[in-house]
Every structure is written in structure tokens, then in C-alpha cells.
Amino acid sequence: MSDHYDATAIEAKWQARWAADGLYRFDERAPRPKYLFVTMYPYPSGDLHIGHWYAMTPSDARARFLAMRGHNVIFPIGFDAFGLPAENAAIQHGIHPYKWTMANIERMRGQLRSMGTMFDWSREVVTCQPDYYVWNQWFFLKFFEAGLAYRALAPVDWCPNCNTTLAREQVIGADRVCERCGTPVIKKDLEQWYFRITKYAEELLDFSKMEWPERVETLQRNWIGRSEGAEIIYLSEHGDPITVFTTRPDTLFGATFLVLAPEHPIVDKLTAPARRPEVAAYVHRTRRQSEIERLAEDREKTGVFIGAYARHPLTNARIPIYIGDYVLLTYGTGAIHAVPAHDSRDFEFARRHGLDTPVVVAPPDWDGKPLAGAYTGEGTLVNSGPFDGLSSEEGRRRITEALAQAGRGRAAVTYRLRDWLISRQRYWGTPIPIIYCPRCGTVPVPYRDLPVLLPEDAEFVPTGESPLKRNDAFRTTTCPACGGPAERETDTMDTFVDSSWYQFRYLDPHNRDAPFDPARVRRWGPVDQYTGGIEHAVLHLMYTRFFTKAMRDLGLLPFDEPMLRLFNQGIILGPDGNRMSKSRGNVVNPDDYVGTMGADVVRAYLMFIGPWDGGGPWNPKGIEGVHRFAQRIWHLVTADAPADGPAPSPELAVQVRRTIHQTLRRVTGDLEGFRFNTAVAALMECANALARLREQEGAATDAWRPALRTLVLMLAPLMPHLAEELWERLGERYSVHRQPWPAWDPDAVREDTITVVLQVNGRVRDRVTVPAGFDAARLREAAFGSDKVRKFLDGKSVEDVVVVPGKLVNVVAR
């Protein structure tokens, strides 16, 4: 019998050799078809948790499989290294964010290598390094020149005690207080930088060039929120235009009040003196709420009358103006006209404030009485002046035309999507390359002066204010236009900027003259396969699509989309079935299992849990089963050759060959379809079947060694260290990961006999083994030849016989 399977020693041995040989370095000269495979890079928190393993090791298995299938696979890795946690660590532990981040990266590099992944480390990107973020700044300047970057007022969460802006994570509790001092947070408008993603709103709705999960497409479509309708202009009694958008201009004659966002700039002007105290108090309360709170469907819609009126655009009727917390300045025009009889939210508001609810779209069979609730469907226009009797569809068209003729509206398309606010009032991010000069205004940093470096002497104190604001050496500078004194922008970029183009830097990571060579990206891009969590469906994946389209328009890329295919893995849960968290005490440390069972067992178990896109709970007993499987494979392949004895029957060799080729057919299809769990299950069944055949002297057949060879090749993507060791022990040429994927033989997988289920009236009464080629007539004969079937037909009349070739015969009798 073979020696013991020592996973720790074997994995260390092969990781060292793979690294020394540069086994996984991408060879640009190889003639094989390219395949750029990218899995979302991790944030350097300091330790790889089991979620990282669950995301990365199946991705690695798929990349290895593709390489064996003949592709020239690029499989890079990097670190999403900017972000608030590093800045918090600087404050809490007195350690500079750079030092904290790079120490975490070094630890995580070792852990990533312990997975046995085929990452090409020569292409690593670290986004907090100046040689990476200089190109964030370069892109910013290009976007600025193209009108895609601009500065505007935007509301931020503000702590009046710390006198600083707060990140979303720093506002805590239902009362929305500052995490540092407990002071209630308010909203404050600041000049901040945006990227004009809305320019591409319509184009972002087109997914025809990609194979992405339908769920991701739906989430993005909903986020973009395209709506067709009409813009309608109301006039205040002072002549101020108030523009609203509606998808239902057919309901215009049912509008009985307007609601403005409390932040709307016209509110202060229109509010009557007697209403100012109540309006001011309401505005203050509203500005303490988050957008999520204000838009919650199950929340009571509140508002106050500002003491002003507007005029209806077609009837000139006097309409009261309210402000309401459910209207946001950042959505639509910041104003709505309310049609309470045909919008449930407006109906609720109108009933609370005693406002009219006239019906203007009659439901089918309407009796002319007031409605008990809002009717939001199609119908016939009533109480709509010259438009009475029109259908809703015709009414929308005709009323929109009437608004245009009156100069009070037009047909319009709007989007829920808003431009990307990239400003962050913190230190640990890419400095925005802008200078403010008293004489010249807003001046971009010249390209020759890039990168604008983060100062190393930043002082981190728990005031909440960005260290860049207090760092005079960074903040004060000279205007590149006039040479006079000026100040730098102290905001840094949203870290989503880093991840919006990193996949292309992988293709040219050491380029000092450009973010990448367009010729290289033209040859090796776009990403053929991207993997990562569904939680990034909207922001990251939307932003990287925007970046790709903007780079295309700048002449840097020849394609429209960053990733052709996307696969979202599920979530690995704790043993209790809940999300892993320290507070629940259900966190699984992968290092504990790697140290005892080996990385390959952890890899295979994570793939075996269930469908990769479904996730599932960690089961300590389940991983024990995978560990036993690894041992079984080890002993099966390394067992001593059988002693000389009688020649085995030819049928035994056929069974060995059939077993391995049937498994190969299954595993090939499973790996093509990301069905890792069934691939592992197929290999387990194969190992058990071969073990039984060995007991029958199957190892003495000519088919045995080819079967073991094929078994190890199938194992290679899933359990790479074990496969490499077994390949060597079989006496094969290094490396198993440079071998072609085997092809299954259709003749070998064909069964000589099959088992057919015999039923009477749909109930299984017997099973019979017959030659695989039996036709329907002979299967009928086999059914009626069964004693068990005849027993249940005694005294009955056969009405029908249903034959499903190769599967079953069902006799219908009464």
C-alpha cells in the first residue's frame, strides 16, 4: 500500500516549484486563443476569510480548466487598496494607512498563494500605489476636458459638532448620529465633483453584447430607471416656473396640488411669512433623514403647506404648493404634481390634508362616484375638458401636444440615474488633480505634474476632518496658469474609480507612459469572464461599464463593454445557516482547515457545498467527507501494482474504460457550466466505482493506467496540488497543469445494457435489465414477461402501454 497523503508537505512543495518556474505567467507569444479571466480583487483587510475562498477557488478551477482546454488564459490578481477602514485604523491604532494597508497586503499574498491559485503575480495591481492612482488622475483630467467631470453643489451628511462631513458608515443608528461624538447629523450642501454617467444612460440599458445574469441586468435597468412621459411647466403666482415630470400626462386634469422637495431652491422664495416657522422646522427634520428612509414604501408620506399657489398649465386653476419628504431634489426635477385619484401615494397625502381627489381616468364600469382608493390603470378620460372620452393612450399624446402648443410642456424621457458623485472628504484615496486660484478659478493640474501625491506626514486625529485640509504643505500650492498662490482640492476620489478600469491595467501593469497600451488592450481585451458577488451588480458594474464607454469615446478602447460574461457566486454561510459574523460566533477561519486537511480539501469542499451561485452553509462534517475523498483518490492512484495472477476478463477492462469516460463526459459538461458541485460529486462516484473494480482485478487490465491518468487530469482544476503530486507519481511529464484536457469517447460511454423501470398505472412494480438497443416492441415484451407486472394485471383489461425508450414502460389497465 502507498504511503500517507501529507497535504501540508505536498502543497508547500508544489507552490514553491510553481512560483520558481513561473508556471502561471501569461505568455503573450503563445498561439492559443486568448482568454482574460478576472475575479473581483479583494480589499486588504488583513486576513482572507472563507468568503474570499468561496469566490476565488472556483474561479481558479474554471481558469485552470480553460487553460487545459487550449486557451491562453490571463488570470491576474490585485488589491483594492484605498478606503475608509485604513483611515479608521490610522486614527484608532496610530498607524499610517499606507503601512497598515501594505502589511495587510503582504499577509494576504501569502494566503492567496496558499489557495494554490494560478494567479499571474507579475501583473499584480495595488491601487494605493502612485504608479496606479496617477492614472486615476490622468483619467480625471481627460474626463474634465471632455465635459465628463464637473463640480456642483451636493448634499452631504454633516456633523455640526465635529464640523466635518461623514461617510455613510459614520452615521449610525435610527437617530442618525455621528459615530464619533453622538451629535445628530444634518445635511449640508458642498461643492463636489461628479462624473457625467447620465450621458450614457440610454447606452447602459443595452446588454446585447454581453452574457450577464438576468438579475444583474434587471437591477441595472431599475437603477437607470428610464421613463417616457412629459415635462410640464407650472407657474407660481409670481411667475416662477416649476417643472414636473410625469409618465401619465393623461391624468393632468386631476392634478390638485404640487409637492416640492424640501431642499428645492424655490421653497424659500415662495414660502409665505406666516408659514416660515413650520416650513423651516420641517425642512430641518427632513434634512436629517437618509434618502433610503425618505423613499421607503411603507413609510407615512408627510408634508406641509408653504402658503403659496401655482397655476395649472391648461386650466389656470389655482393649485396649492406643499413640501414633502418623499420628494427628493436628486430624483427627477425635485417637484411633482399630485393626482390623488390615480396615484396611491398622492391619494394618501390628499386624504390626510383634506384635498380634492377628482377622477379623470374612469375605470371600466365606473359608476361616477368618488373612488375608495387610487385607480392607477388605463381607462377613459373624464372631467378633462376637451379630452373627455379619449383612451388613456390617446389622451397622453393629445394632452402632451396641447402642452407643447401652449409652451407649457413637451414629451420627454427621464432617468432615475444620477451623475456619479466621486468626491470624498477623506485622506486615503486618489487626490483630485484640481487647483483653485483666486485669479484663474478652477485649474486642472498639468499632466506633467502628475501624480499629485498623498502627503506622507498626514496627521490623523479623531475630529472627522480630512487630514488633507489641515496639511498646509499639501493644500497650498502655485497656480500653474498664472504662478500666483493657490490651493489644491482636498477631496479624494471614490474608491469605485479604482475598480472601474483595473481589469485593463492588468494587461499592461508596468506601463509608465499610459494607463495601458491601447494595442495590447485591443488584442487581449475585453474581459472574457468576470466573477464576483451580486452585491456589486449596480455600483461597481455600472461604473466600470461607464468608464469603458468613456474610454472608447476618448479613443483608448475599440469596444463598448468591459466584460463579456459575468457569473455571480452565492454566499457561504456559517454552520448555523446565518451570515458569518464575529457577533454570532459563526465565522470559519480557512487557515484552520488548510493547516490540518490542506488547501485542496477546502477548495473541493467549497465547490461541493451546492450550486456556486446558490451558496450554502459550512458543514464541518461535510468537509470531513471531502477529506476522506482526497485520501481515497491518493490510495487509488498510488497503490502498489497488483501481483501476477489470472488474466482479467475483457469485460472488466470495458467497465473500467466506461466508468472513466462517463465521468469525463459529466465533469467536462459540469465545468463548462460552472457546476462545480456536481463535478466533485462525479469524481467521488468515479473513485468509488474504480475502487470496486480494483477489488475485481480491474487494476490488472490495460485500461487501468489510462483511467488513472484521466482521473488525475480531471482532478487538476479542482485540487491542483494533489493532482500535480499524483501526476508525478504516475511517472508523467511535469506539469499536469500544462496538459490538454482529455476527450471522452462516445463508444466507451455507451452502455451495453440498461435498467428499465416497469410500471402499472404509474406505480413501479419491477425493474429489468435489457440490452441498450431494445426498441419499443421488445420493451413491451419485457414488461409483460415480468411476473411482478403480470401479478398486478390479473383480472384487468389493458387499455394502453406507454413506452419511454431507455427509461420505462407503463401499463395502463382497468
Side-chain angles (χ1 to χ4, degrees), residues 336-389:
I336 66 165
H337 76 178
V339 185
H342 304 291
D343 181 282
S344 56
R345 182 177 56 181
D346 298 341
F347 186 89
E348 176 189 334
F349 191 98
R351 187 167 55 182
R352 186 174 299 110
H353 292 271
L355 299 166
D356 292 339
T357 59
V359 176
V360 293
V361 176
D365 303 322
W366 181 53
D367 60 5
K369 296 180 181 179
L371 300 175
Y375 174 70
T376 59
E378 303 279 295
T380 303
L381 268 59
V382 296
N383 300 320
S384 297
F387 305 100
D388 281 356

Side-chain angles (χ1 to χ4, degrees), residues 12 96 424 434 542 659 746 795:
H96 194 280
R424 297 295 181 269
I434 289 292
M542 185 85 75
T659 297

Side-chain angles (χ1 to χ4, degrees), residues 167-399:
R168 186 183 298 111
E169 301 93 330
Q170 295 169 307
V171 180
I172 59 174
D175 295 332
R176 290 181 48 77
V177 298
C178 172
E179 71 168 0
R180 294 189 175 98
C181 67
T183 300
V185 170
I186 62 172
K187 292 286 185 181
K188 184 176 181 178
D189 291 330
L190 287 183
E191 290 277 352
Q192 299 185 79
W193 286 95
Y194 289 84
F195 282 160
R196 203 179 301 276
I197 190 174
T198 52
K199 176 182 176 181
Y200 298 93
E202 192 67 32
E203 196 174 346
L204 288 167
L205 288 167
D206 180 8
F207 294 88
S208 63
K209 297 177 181 178
M210 306 178 296
E211 296 176 22
W212 281 25
E214 183 177 346
R215 183 182 174 195
V216 174
E217 292 187 16
T218 299
L219 288 168
Q220 290 203 5
R221 290 183 195 280
N222 291 343
W223 187 264
I224 295 167
R226 185 184 192 275
S227 298
E228 293 184 7
E231 282 186 352
I232 302 173
I233 302 171
Y234 289 79
L235 296 177
S236 76
E237 292 191 311
H238 301 290
D240 305 286
I242 302 172
T243 302
V244 304
F245 173 81
T246 180
T247 59
R248 295 292 302 271
D250 53 316
T251 65
L252 176 60
F253 284 79
T256 57
F257 60 99
L258 298 184
V259 185
L260 308 181
E263 307 89 346
H264 199 294
I266 206 172
V267 170
D268 188 60
K269 177 182 178 181
L270 295 183
T271 300
R275 304 293 303 163
R276 286 190 177 278
E278 185 178 0
V279 169
Y282 185 84
V283 170
H284 178 77
R285 288 197 306 273
T286 300
R287 287 178 72 87
R288 291 209 58 237
Q289 300 168 5
S290 70
E291 289 191 2
I292 294 175
E293 290 174 310
R294 290 171 62 176
L295 293 176
E297 288 294 330
D298 57 351
R299 187 173 174 275
E300 180 181 319
K301 307 302 184 280
T302 67
V304 297
F305 179 49
I306 67 171
Y309 294 84
R311 292 292 179 174
H312 191 282
L314 294 185
T315 69
N316 205 39
R318 199 168 184 240
I319 294 178
I321 303 174
Y322 287 73
I323 56 173
D325 59 358
Y326 64 97
V327 181
L328 274 66
L329 190 61
T330 53
Y331 287 81
T333 64
I336 66 165
H337 76 178
V339 185
H342 304 291
D343 181 282
S344 56
R345 182 177 56 181
D346 298 341
F347 186 89
E348 176 189 334
F349 191 98
R351 187 167 55 182
R352 186 174 299 110
H353 292 271
L355 299 166
D356 292 339
T357 59
V359 176
V360 293
V361 176
D365 303 322
W366 181 53
D367 60 5
K369 296 180 181 179
L371 300 175
Y375 174 70
T376 59
E378 303 279 295
T380 303
L381 268 59
V382 296
N383 300 320
S384 297
F387 305 100
D388 281 356
L390 297 179
S391 67
S392 293
E393 182 178 3
E394 181 67 9
R396 284 192 282 274
R397 185 181 66 81
R398 294 274 297 276
I399 290 175

Side-chain angles (χ1 to χ4, degrees), residues 752-774:
D752 293 331
T753 60
I754 56 174
T755 299
V756 176
V757 173
L758 305 180
Q759 298 178 338
V760 176
N761 293 332
R763 290 194 171 189
V764 177
R765 299 305 184 188
D766 198 3
R767 287 177 173 84
V768 62
T769 300
V770 299
F774 258 25

Side-chain angles (χ1 to χ4, degrees), residues 349-601:
F349 191 98
R351 187 167 55 182
R352 186 174 299 110
H353 292 271
L355 299 166
D356 292 339
T357 59
V359 176
V360 293
V361 176
D365 303 322
W366 181 53
D367 60 5
K369 296 180 181 179
L371 300 175
Y375 174 70
T376 59
E378 303 279 295
T380 303
L381 268 59
V382 296
N383 300 320
S384 297
F387 305 100
D388 281 356
L390 297 179
S391 67
S392 293
E393 182 178 3
E394 181 67 9
R396 284 192 282 274
R397 185 181 66 81
R398 294 274 297 276
I399 290 175
T400 301
E401 290 174 351
L403 287 165
Q405 291 171 3
R408 300 291 289 277
R410 64 182 182 89
V413 174
T414 67
Y415 303 88
R416 181 177 178 269
L417 179 68
R418 290 292 169 262
D419 282 335
W420 177 8
L421 174 61
I422 67 160
S423 287
R424 297 295 181 269
Q425 293 77 40
R426 60 181 75 148
Y427 167 84
W428 195 232
T430 300
I432 294 176
I434 289 292
I435 291 171
Y436 301 108
C437 174
R439 292 177 59 186
C440 305
T442 300
V443 181
V445 172
Y447 288 100
R448 66 177 181 273
D449 293 340
L450 298 181
V452 178
L453 295 170
L454 287 168
E456 295 181 8
D457 61 345
E459 182 184 7
F460 295 91
V461 292
T463 63
E465 189 175 44
S466 169
L468 296 180
K469 284 192 173 184
R470 300 189 306 275
N471 192 303
D472 290 340
F474 173 84
R475 185 171 49 81
T476 59
T477 188
T478 300
C479 175
C482 70
E487 291 194 1
R488 292 191 186 279
E489 172 63 76
T490 56
D491 282 358
T492 55
M493 296 186 202
D494 181 5
T495 56
F496 278 118
V497 173
D498 308 338
S499 58
S500 291
W501 67 280
Y502 78 112
Q503 65 272 16
F504 302 127
R505 183 65 175 177
Y506 280 144
L507 298 173
D508 200 9
H510 309 297
N511 194 327
R512 296 185 177 183
D513 301 318
F516 47 76
D517 178 357
R520 280 193 168 188
V521 176
R522 189 179 307 115
R523 182 180 180 189
W524 304 113
V527 175
D528 293 283
Q529 181 67 62
Y530 198 47
T531 59
I534 190 70
E535 67 272 15
H536 298 292
V538 174
L539 297 181
H540 161 53
L541 290 172
M542 185 85 75
Y543 293 152
T544 192
R545 294 183 68 210
F546 156 68
F547 244 78
T548 301
K549 296 176 190 305
M551 287 189 285
R552 175 205 61 197
D553 290 348
L554 292 171
L556 299 172
L557 298 177
F559 43 78
D560 304 311
E561 297 291 352
M563 300 102 181
L564 300 180
R565 299 171 193 84
L566 171 69
F567 193 96
N568 298 124
Q569 80 272 358
I571 299 173
I572 184 72
L573 305 173
D576 58 0
N578 295 312
R579 278 180 176 263
M580 291 189 191
S581 69
K582 292 181 180 179
S583 62
R584 288 195 179 102
N586 64 350
V587 174
V588 174
N589 183 355
D591 291 355
D592 295 341
Y593 290 90
V594 173
T596 56
M597 298 181 183
D600 279 350
V601 169

Side-chain angles (χ1 to χ4, degrees), residues 32-200:
R32 300 186 303 276
K34 74 94 181 177
Y35 203 99
L36 178 54
F37 195 124
V38 179
T39 191
M40 294 180 187
Y41 61 0
Y43 179 78
S45 57
D47 280 296
L48 287 184
H49 52 71
I50 204 67
H52 290 114
W53 280 73
Y54 192 63
M56 293 181 180
T57 53
S59 296
D60 176 71
R62 169 76 172 191
R64 288 179 177 278
F65 171 68
L66 289 166
M68 296 177 75
R69 291 295 293 270
H71 293 281
N72 194 15
V73 177
I74 317 170
F75 193 52
I77 190 61
F79 293 93
D80 190 12
F82 275 137
L84 187 61
E87 201 155 338
N88 286 340
I91 296 169
Q92 295 167 10
H93 306 298
I95 183 172
H96 194 280
Y98 182 84
K99 185 176 181 180
W100 183 83
T101 300
M102 297 310 295
N104 288 347
I105 286 175
E106 186 57 35
R107 173 168 171 75
M108 292 176 73
R109 283 180 182 134
Q111 291 178 309
L112 285 166
R113 288 189 172 98
S114 77
M115 289 180 176
T117 51
M118 59 173 281
F119 289 131
D120 181 353
W121 287 95
S122 70
R123 297 177 177 274
E124 180 191 58
V125 299
V126 178
T127 61
C128 68
Q129 296 284 23
D131 64 356
Y132 185 87
Y133 72 72
V134 61
W135 303 114
N136 287 345
Q137 296 172 345
W138 186 88
F139 280 123
F140 179 94
L141 296 178
K142 291 293 184 183
F143 286 11
F144 184 74
E145 292 168 1
L148 293 175
Y150 66 94
R151 197 168 182 240
L153 280 173
V156 296
D157 286 319
W158 180 267
C159 175
N161 182 52
C162 296
N163 198 35
T164 187
T165 57
L166 300 176
R168 186 183 298 111
E169 301 93 330
Q170 295 169 307
V171 180
I172 59 174
D175 295 332
R176 290 181 48 77
V177 298
C178 172
E179 71 168 0
R180 294 189 175 98
C181 67
T183 300
V185 170
I186 62 172
K187 292 286 185 181
K188 184 176 181 178
D189 291 330
L190 287 183
E191 290 277 352
Q192 299 185 79
W193 286 95
Y194 289 84
F195 282 160
R196 203 179 301 276
I197 190 174
T198 52
K199 176 182 176 181
Y200 298 93

